[in-house]
Amino acid sequence: MQIPDIIIAIDGYSSTGKSSFAKLIAKESGFLYLDSGALYRGVTLFAMENGLIDSGNNIREDKLAAALKTLDIHFENIGGKTMTFMGDRCIENEIRTLGVSGKVSPIATLPVVREYVDKRIRDLGKGKRIVVDGRDIGSTVFPDAELKIFMTADRNVRAMRRMKEMQGKGENVTFDEVLRNVTDRDYIDSNRAASPLSKADDAIVLDNSDMTIEEQMVWLKELLARKFGTPGNDGSAEA
Ligand code: DC
């Protein structure tokens, strides 16, 4: 798939399949995929392992702020897959557990954490040709991104997808637990003071409640053709 040298920002609610979509776009276009949620999850895992967040979600913000100065969370390409690392330790599986999912939203409300993640994403994305997913990529991190997509889907559909994904990885979770987590995260992500989840004015909405990933790729290709011209055209924008 040919795409001009642009930044693609994909935002939206949790468990809408943003990362699956972004990864497939990256694979088909050669773009670099950046998962901002993985960085928030990595910071959360670090906070949990170091006693910086308790069961009531009270956060030792001063200690976390100090630790972020040296905390090394980054991505490595292992066999064609983007994996999240903390130092030399692969944390890709641990950051996807319900334990981390249940703590990540409060951590992501902290301005110091948001600054850390924004800086890492902007540094990693310097060369354009990136597809980035998150909650505030089109509104805050890359407000000039040439293509902004905002993903949404029915909450029950999202919880069902997430439950299947987690069960597929051997995690013992019920539909109700996952639905509660999705609902809680929607609320915290949308209502926090710092950079809440919101659709950028120029983002295009994709509701994929009833769409397969293949149908989403068809939708994207049509959108790219409309906006940037198909390969062989002069690349001028129509929309
Ligand atoms: O996309 P995800 O579910 O892996 O994201 C995990 C959490 O990180 C999510 O609950 C909200 C937060 N997040 C955020 O606040 N801003 C982003 N750009 C990405 C994720």
Side-chain angles (χ1 to χ4, degrees), residues 56-126:
N57 287 343
N58 299 303
I59 303 165
R60 305 276 302 267
E61 209 177 323
D62 50 339
K63 292 216 159 156
L64 184 57
L68 286 176
K69 295 203 168 83
T70 54
L71 185 63
D72 168 30
I73 299 177
H74 63 272
F75 301 115
E76 288 184 25
N77 188 319
I78 311 279
K81 288 196 169 164
T82 304
M83 300 290 205
T84 313
F85 276 72
M86 190 191 298
D88 54 13
R89 171 179 154 211
C90 180
I91 55 170
E92 186 58 34
N93 288 336
E94 284 153 276
I95 60 171
R96 311 284 168 194
T97 60
L98 202 52
V100 170
S101 296
K103 303 258 178 226
V104 62
S105 284
I107 292 278
T109 62
L110 300 179
V112 69
V113 174
R114 301 205 71 80
E115 276 162 32
Y116 172 83
V117 172
D118 288 1
K119 181 166 185 329
R120 290 209 64 70
I121 292 285
R122 288 190 188 116
D123 285 350
L124 291 166
K126 274 201 178 111

Coordinates of all heavy atoms in Angstrom, one line a residue, residues 56-126:
G56 N -5.7 1.3 46.4 CA -6.7 2.4 46.2 C -6.4 3.3 45.1 O -6.9 4.4 45.0
N57 N -5.4 3.0 44.3 CA -4.9 3.8 43.2 C -4.3 5.2 43.7 O -4.3 6.2 43.0 CB -6.0 4.1 42.2 CG -6.3 2.9 41.3 OD1 -5.5 2.0 41.3 ND2 -7.4 2.9 40.7
N58 N -3.8 5.2 45.0 CA -3.0 6.3 45.4 C -1.6 6.2 44.8 O -1.0 5.2 44.9 CB -2.9 6.4 46.9 CG -4.3 6.5 47.5 OD1 -5.0 7.4 47.2 ND2 -4.7 5.5 48.3
I59 N -1.2 7.3 44.2 CA 0.1 7.2 43.4 C 1.2 8.1 44.2 O 0.9 9.2 44.6 CB -0.1 7.8 42.0 CG1 -1.2 6.9 41.3 CG2 1.2 7.7 41.2 CD1 -1.7 7.6 40.0
R60 N 2.4 7.5 44.3 CA 3.5 8.3 44.9 C 4.1 9.1 43.7 O 5.1 8.8 43.1 CB 4.6 7.3 45.4 CG 4.1 6.3 46.4 CD 4.0 6.8 47.8 NE 5.3 7.3 48.3 CZ 6.2 6.5 49.0 NH1 5.9 5.3 49.3 NH2 7.3 7.0 49.4
E61 N 3.4 10.2 43.5 CA 3.7 11.0 42.3 C 5.1 11.6 42.3 O 5.8 11.6 41.2 CB 2.7 12.2 42.2 CG 2.4 12.6 40.8 CD 1.3 13.7 40.8 OE1 0.4 13.7 41.6 OE2 1.5 14.6 39.9
D62 N 5.6 12.0 43.5 CA 7.0 12.6 43.5 C 8.0 11.6 43.1 O 8.9 11.8 42.3 CB 7.2 13.2 44.9 CG 6.9 12.2 46.0 OD1 6.1 11.3 45.8 OD2 7.5 12.4 47.1
K63 N 7.9 10.3 43.7 CA 8.8 9.3 43.4 C 8.7 8.9 41.9 O 9.8 8.6 41.3 CB 8.6 8.1 44.2 CG 8.9 8.3 45.7 CD 9.4 7.1 46.4 CE 10.2 7.6 47.6 NZ 10.3 6.7 48.6
L64 N 7.5 8.8 41.4 CA 7.3 8.4 40.0 C 8.0 9.5 39.1 O 8.7 9.1 38.1 CB 5.8 8.3 39.7 CG 5.5 7.8 38.3 CD1 6.2 6.4 38.0 CD2 4.0 7.6 38.1
A65 N 7.8 10.7 39.4 CA 8.3 11.8 38.6 C 9.9 11.7 38.6 O 10.5 11.9 37.5 CB 7.9 13.2 39.2
A66 N 10.5 11.4 39.7 CA 11.9 11.3 39.8 C 12.4 10.1 38.9 O 13.3 10.1 38.2 CB 12.4 11.1 41.2
A67 N 11.6 9.0 39.0 CA 12.0 7.7 38.3 C 11.9 7.9 36.8 O 12.7 7.4 36.0 CB 11.1 6.6 38.7
L68 N 10.9 8.7 36.4 CA 10.7 8.9 34.9 C 11.9 9.6 34.2 O 12.1 9.4 33.0 CB 9.5 9.8 34.7 CG 8.1 9.1 34.9 CD1 7.0 10.1 34.7 CD2 8.0 7.9 34.0
K69 N 12.8 10.2 35.0 CA 13.9 10.9 34.4 C 14.9 9.9 33.8 O 15.6 10.2 32.9 CB 14.7 11.7 35.5 CG 13.8 12.9 36.0 CD 14.7 14.0 36.6 CE 13.9 15.2 36.8 NZ 13.1 15.2 38.0
T70 N 14.9 8.6 34.4 CA 15.8 7.6 33.9 C 15.1 6.4 33.3 O 15.8 5.5 32.8 CB 16.8 7.2 35.0 OG1 16.0 6.7 36.1 CG2 17.7 8.3 35.4
L71 N 13.8 6.3 33.5 CA 13.1 5.1 33.0 C 13.2 4.9 31.5 O 12.9 5.9 30.8 CB 11.6 5.2 33.5 CG 10.8 4.0 33.2 CD1 11.3 2.8 34.0 CD2 9.3 4.2 33.5
D72 N 13.6 3.7 31.1 CA 13.8 3.5 29.7 C 12.8 2.5 29.2 O 12.9 1.3 29.3 CB 15.2 2.9 29.4 CG 15.4 2.4 28.0 OD1 14.7 2.9 27.1 OD2 16.2 1.4 27.8
I73 N 11.7 3.0 28.7 CA 10.7 2.2 28.0 C 10.8 2.5 26.5 O 10.7 3.6 26.1 CB 9.3 2.4 28.6 CG1 9.2 2.1 30.1 CG2 8.2 1.5 27.9 CD1 7.9 2.4 30.7
H74 N 10.9 1.4 25.8 CA 11.1 1.6 24.3 C 10.5 0.4 23.5 O 10.1 -0.6 24.2 CB 12.6 1.9 24.0 CG 13.4 0.7 24.3 ND1 14.0 0.5 25.5 CD2 13.8 -0.4 23.5 CE1 14.7 -0.7 25.5 NE2 14.6 -1.2 24.3
F75 N 10.6 0.5 22.2 CA 10.0 -0.6 21.4 C 11.2 -1.2 20.6 O 12.2 -0.6 20.3 CB 9.1 0.0 20.3 CG 7.9 0.7 20.9 CD1 7.7 2.1 20.7 CD2 7.0 0.0 21.7 CE1 6.6 2.7 21.3 CE2 5.9 0.7 22.3 CZ 5.7 2.0 22.1
E76 N 11.1 -2.5 20.5 CA 12.1 -3.3 19.6 C 11.3 -4.1 18.7 O 10.2 -4.6 19.0 CB 13.0 -4.1 20.5 CG 14.0 -3.3 21.3 CD 15.0 -4.1 22.1 OE1 15.2 -5.3 21.7 OE2 15.4 -3.6 23.1
N77 N 11.9 -4.3 17.5 CA 11.2 -5.1 16.5 C 11.8 -6.5 16.6 O 13.0 -6.8 16.3 CB 11.5 -4.5 15.1 CG 10.8 -5.2 14.0 OD1 10.6 -6.4 14.0 ND2 10.3 -4.4 13.1
I78 N 10.9 -7.4 17.0 CA 11.4 -8.8 17.2 C 10.6 -9.7 16.2 O 9.4 -9.8 16.3 CB 11.1 -9.4 18.6 CG1 11.6 -8.4 19.7 CG2 11.6 -10.8 18.8 CD1 13.1 -8.4 20.0
G79 N 11.3 -10.2 15.2 CA 10.7 -11.0 14.2 C 9.5 -10.3 13.5 O 8.5 -11.0 13.3
G80 N 9.6 -9.1 13.3 CA 8.6 -8.3 12.5 C 7.5 -7.8 13.5 O 6.6 -7.1 13.0
K81 N 7.6 -8.1 14.8 CA 6.6 -7.6 15.7 C 7.1 -6.5 16.6 O 8.3 -6.7 17.1 CB 6.0 -8.7 16.6 CG 5.2 -9.7 15.8 CD 4.4 -10.6 16.7 CE 3.3 -11.3 16.0 NZ 2.8 -12.5 16.7
T82 N 6.4 -5.5 16.9 CA 6.8 -4.5 17.8 C 6.6 -4.9 19.2 O 5.5 -5.2 19.6 CB 6.1 -3.1 17.5 OG1 6.2 -2.8 16.1 CG2 6.6 -2.0 18.4
M83 N 7.7 -5.0 20.0 CA 7.6 -5.4 21.4 C 8.0 -4.3 22.3 O 8.9 -3.5 22.0 CB 8.5 -6.6 21.6 CG 8.2 -7.8 20.8 SD 6.6 -8.5 21.3 CE 6.8 -10.2 20.7
T84 N 7.4 -4.2 23.4 CA 7.7 -3.1 24.4 C 8.7 -3.6 25.4 O 8.6 -4.7 25.9 CB 6.4 -2.7 25.1 OG1 5.4 -2.5 24.2 CG2 6.6 -1.4 25.9
F85 N 9.7 -2.8 25.6 CA 10.8 -3.2 26.6 C 10.9 -2.1 27.7 O 10.7 -0.9 27.5 CB 12.1 -3.3 25.8 CG 12.4 -4.6 25.1 CD1 11.7 -4.9 24.0 CD2 13.3 -5.5 25.6 CE1 11.8 -6.1 23.4 CE2 13.5 -6.7 25.0 CZ 12.8 -7.0 23.9
M86 N 11.3 -2.7 28.9 CA 11.7 -1.8 30.0 C 13.2 -2.1 30.2 O 13.5 -3.2 30.6 CB 10.9 -2.1 31.2 CG 11.1 -1.0 32.3 SD 10.3 -1.5 33.9 CE 8.6 -1.6 33.5
G87 N 14.1 -1.2 29.8 CA 15.5 -1.6 29.8 C 15.7 -2.8 28.9 O 15.2 -2.8 27.7
D88 N 16.3 -3.9 29.3 CA 16.5 -5.0 28.4 C 15.5 -6.1 28.7 O 15.6 -7.2 28.2 CB 17.9 -5.6 28.5 CG 18.3 -5.9 30.0 OD1 17.4 -6.0 30.8 OD2 19.5 -6.2 30.2
R89 N 14.4 -5.8 29.4 CA 13.4 -6.8 29.7 C 12.1 -6.6 28.8 O 11.6 -5.5 28.8 CB 13.0 -6.6 31.2 CG 11.8 -7.4 31.6 CD 11.6 -7.2 33.1 NE 10.2 -7.4 33.5 CZ 9.6 -6.7 34.5 NH1 10.3 -5.8 35.2 NH2 8.4 -6.9 34.7
C90 N 11.7 -7.6 28.1 CA 10.5 -7.5 27.3 C 9.3 -7.6 28.2 O 9.1 -8.5 29.0 CB 10.4 -8.7 26.3 SG 8.9 -8.6 25.3
I91 N 8.4 -6.5 28.2 CA 7.3 -6.5 29.1 C 6.0 -6.5 28.3 O 4.9 -6.2 28.8 CB 7.3 -5.2 29.9 CG1 7.4 -3.9 29.1 CG2 8.4 -5.2 31.0 CD1 7.2 -2.6 29.8
E92 N 6.1 -6.9 27.0 CA 4.9 -6.9 26.1 C 3.7 -7.6 26.7 O 2.6 -7.1 26.6 CB 5.3 -7.5 24.8 CG 4.3 -7.4 23.7 CD 3.8 -5.9 23.4 OE1 4.7 -5.0 23.5 OE2 2.6 -5.7 23.1
N93 N 3.9 -8.8 27.2 CA 2.7 -9.6 27.8 C 2.2 -9.0 29.1 O 1.0 -8.8 29.3 CB 3.1 -11.0 27.9 CG 3.2 -11.7 26.6 OD1 2.6 -11.2 25.6 ND2 4.0 -12.8 26.5
E94 N 3.1 -8.7 30.0 CA 2.7 -8.2 31.3 C 1.9 -6.9 31.2 O 1.0 -6.7 32.0 CB 4.0 -7.9 32.2 CG 4.6 -9.2 32.7 CD 6.1 -8.9 33.0 OE1 6.9 -9.1 32.0 OE2 6.4 -8.6 34.1
I95 N 2.2 -6.0 30.3 CA 1.5 -4.7 30.2 C 0.1 -4.9 29.7 O -0.7 -4.0 29.8 CB 2.3 -3.7 29.4 CG1 2.5 -4.1 27.9 CG2 3.5 -3.3 30.1 CD1 3.0 -3.0 27.0
R96 N -0.3 -6.1 29.1 CA -1.6 -6.3 28.6 C -2.5 -7.0 29.6 O -3.7 -7.3 29.2 CB -1.6 -7.1 27.3 CG -0.5 -6.7 26.3 CD -1.0 -5.5 25.6 NE 0.1 -4.9 24.8 CZ 0.1 -3.7 24.3 NH1 -0.9 -2.9 24.4 NH2 1.2 -3.2 23.6
T97 N -2.1 -7.3 30.8 CA -2.9 -8.0 31.7 C -4.0 -7.1 32.3 O -3.8 -5.9 32.3 CB -2.1 -8.6 32.9 OG1 -1.4 -7.5 33.6 CG2 -1.0 -9.6 32.4
L98 N -5.0 -7.7 32.9 CA -6.1 -6.9 33.5 C -5.5 -6.1 34.7 O -6.0 -5.0 35.1 CB -7.2 -7.8 34.0 CG -8.6 -7.2 34.1 CD1 -9.0 -6.3 32.9 CD2 -9.7 -8.2 34.4
G99 N -4.5 -6.7 35.4 CA -3.9 -6.0 36.5 C -3.4 -4.6 36.1 O -3.7 -3.6 36.8
V100 N -2.6 -4.6 35.0 CA -2.1 -3.3 34.5 C -3.3 -2.4 33.9 O -3.4 -1.2 34.2 CB -1.0 -3.5 33.5 CG1 -0.6 -2.2 32.8 CG2 0.2 -4.1 34.1
S101 N -4.2 -3.1 33.2 CA -5.3 -2.3 32.6 C -6.1 -1.6 33.7 O -6.7 -0.5 33.4 CB -6.2 -3.3 31.8 OG -5.6 -3.9 30.7
G102 N -6.2 -2.2 34.9 CA -7.0 -1.6 35.9 C -6.3 -0.4 36.6 O -7.0 0.3 37.3
K103 N -5.0 -0.2 36.3 CA -4.3 0.8 37.0 C -3.8 1.9 36.0 O -3.4 3.0 36.4 CB -3.0 0.3 37.7 CG -3.3 -0.8 38.7 CD -3.2 -0.2 40.1 CE -3.5 -1.2 41.2 NZ -4.4 -0.8 42.2
V104 N -3.9 1.6 34.7 CA -3.2 2.5 33.8 C -3.9 3.9 33.6 O -3.3 4.9 33.5 CB -3.0 1.8 32.4 CG1 -4.3 1.4 31.7 CG2 -2.2 2.7 31.5
S105 N -5.3 3.9 33.7 CA -5.9 5.2 33.5 C -5.6 6.2 34.6 O -5.3 7.4 34.2 CB -7.4 5.0 33.4 OG -7.8 4.4 32.1
P106 N -5.6 5.8 35.9 CA -5.2 6.9 36.9 C -3.7 7.4 36.6 O -3.4 8.5 36.8 CB -5.3 6.1 38.2 CG -6.0 4.9 38.0 CD -6.1 4.6 36.5
I107 N -2.8 6.4 36.2 CA -1.5 6.8 36.0 C -1.4 7.8 34.8 O -0.7 8.8 34.8 CB -0.6 5.6 35.7 CG1 -0.4 4.7 36.9 CG2 0.8 6.0 35.0 CD1 0.7 5.1 37.9
A108 N -2.3 7.5 33.8 CA -2.3 8.4 32.6 C -2.9 9.7 32.8 O -2.9 10.6 31.9 CB -3.0 7.6 31.4
T109 N -3.5 9.9 34.0 CA -4.0 11.3 34.3 C -2.9 12.3 34.7 O -3.1 13.5 34.7 CB -5.1 11.3 35.4 OG1 -4.5 10.8 36.6 CG2 -6.3 10.4 35.1
L110 N -1.8 11.7 35.1 CA -0.7 12.6 35.7 C 0.0 13.4 34.6 O 0.6 12.8 33.7 CB 0.3 11.7 36.4 CG -0.2 10.9 37.6 CD1 0.9 10.1 38.3 CD2 -0.9 11.8 38.6
P111 N 0.0 14.7 34.7 CA 0.7 15.5 33.7 C 2.2 15.1 33.5 O 2.7 15.0 32.3 CB 0.6 16.9 34.2 CG -0.6 16.9 35.0 CD -0.7 15.6 35.6
V112 N 2.9 14.7 34.6 CA 4.3 14.3 34.4 C 4.5 13.1 33.6 O 5.4 12.9 32.8 CB 5.0 14.2 35.8 CG1 4.4 13.0 36.6 CG2 6.5 14.2 35.7
V113 N 3.5 12.1 33.7 CA 3.5 10.9 32.9 C 3.2 11.2 31.4 O 3.9 10.8 30.5 CB 2.6 9.9 33.5 CG1 2.5 8.6 32.6 CG2 3.0 9.5 34.9
R114 N 2.2 12.1 31.2 CA 1.9 12.5 29.9 C 3.0 13.2 29.2 O 3.3 12.9 28.0 CB 0.6 13.4 29.9 CG -0.6 12.7 30.5 CD -1.9 13.2 30.0 NE -2.2 12.8 28.7 CZ -2.6 11.5 28.3 NH1 -3.0 10.7 29.2 NH2 -2.8 11.2 27.1
E115 N 3.7 14.0 29.9 CA 4.9 14.7 29.3 C 6.0 13.7 28.9 O 6.5 13.8 27.8 CB 5.6 15.7 30.3 CG 4.9 17.0 30.4 CD 5.3 17.8 31.6 OE1 6.4 17.6 32.2 OE2 4.4 18.5 32.1
Y116 N 6.2 12.7 29.7 CA 7.2 11.6 29.5 C 6.8 10.9 28.2 O 7.6 10.7 27.2 CB 7.2 10.7 30.6 CG 8.1 9.4 30.4 CD1 9.4 9.4 30.5 CD2 7.4 8.2 30.0 CE1 10.2 8.3 30.3 CE2 8.2 7.1 29.8 CZ 9.6 7.1 29.9 OH 10.3 6.0 29.7
V117 N 5.5 10.5 28.1 CA 5.1 9.7 26.9 C 5.1 10.6 25.7 O 5.6 10.1 24.6 CB 3.7 9.0 27.2 CG1 3.2 8.4 25.9 CG2 3.8 8.0 28.3
D118 N 4.6 11.8 25.8 CA 4.5 12.7 24.6 C 5.9 12.9 24.0 O 6.1 12.8 22.8 CB 3.9 14.0 25.0 CG 2.4 14.0 25.2 OD1 1.9 12.9 25.1 OD2 1.8 15.0 25.6
K119 N 6.9 13.1 24.9 CA 8.2 13.4 24.4 C 8.8 12.1 23.7 O 9.4 12.2 22.7 CB 9.1 13.8 25.6 CG 10.6 14.1 25.2 CD 11.4 14.8 26.2 CE 12.8 15.2 25.6 NZ 13.3 14.3 24.7
R120 N 8.6 11.0 24.3 CA 9.1 9.7 23.7 C 8.5 9.5 22.3 O 9.2 9.2 21.4 CB 8.9 8.5 24.6 CG 9.7 8.6 25.9 CD 10.0 7.2 26.4 NE 10.9 6.4 25.6 CZ 12.2 6.6 25.3 NH1 12.8 7.7 25.8 NH2 12.9 5.7 24.6
I121 N 7.2 9.7 22.2 CA 6.5 9.5 21.0 C 7.0 10.5 19.9 O 7.3 10.2 18.8 CB 5.0 9.6 21.1 CG1 4.4 8.4 22.0 CG2 4.2 9.7 19.8 CD1 4.4 7.1 21.3
R122 N 7.1 11.8 20.3 CA 7.6 12.8 19.4 C 9.0 12.5 18.9 O 9.3 12.6 17.7 CB 7.5 14.2 20.0 CG 6.1 14.7 20.1 CD 6.0 16.1 20.5 NE 4.6 16.5 20.8 CZ 4.2 17.0 22.0 NH1 5.0 17.1 23.0 NH2 2.9 17.3 22.1
D123 N 9.9 12.1 19.8 CA 11.3 11.7 19.5 C 11.3 10.5 18.5 O 12.0 10.6 17.5 CB 12.1 11.4 20.7 CG 12.4 12.6 21.5 OD1 12.2 13.7 21.0 OD2 12.9 12.4 22.7
L124 N 10.5 9.5 18.8 CA 10.5 8.3 18.0 C 9.9 8.6 16.6 O 10.2 7.9 15.6 CB 9.7 7.2 18.7 CG 10.4 6.6 19.9 CD1 9.4 5.7 20.7 CD2 11.6 5.7 19.5
G125 N 9.0 9.6 16.5 CA 8.3 9.8 15.3 C 8.8 10.9 14.4 O 8.2 11.4 13.5
K126 N 10.1 11.3 14.7 CA 10.7 12.5 14.0 C 10.6 12.4 12.5 O 10.4 13.4 11.8 CB 12.1 12.7 14.5 CG 12.1 13.6 15.7 CD 13.4 14.2 15.9 CE 13.4 15.1 17.2 NZ 14.1 14.6 18.3

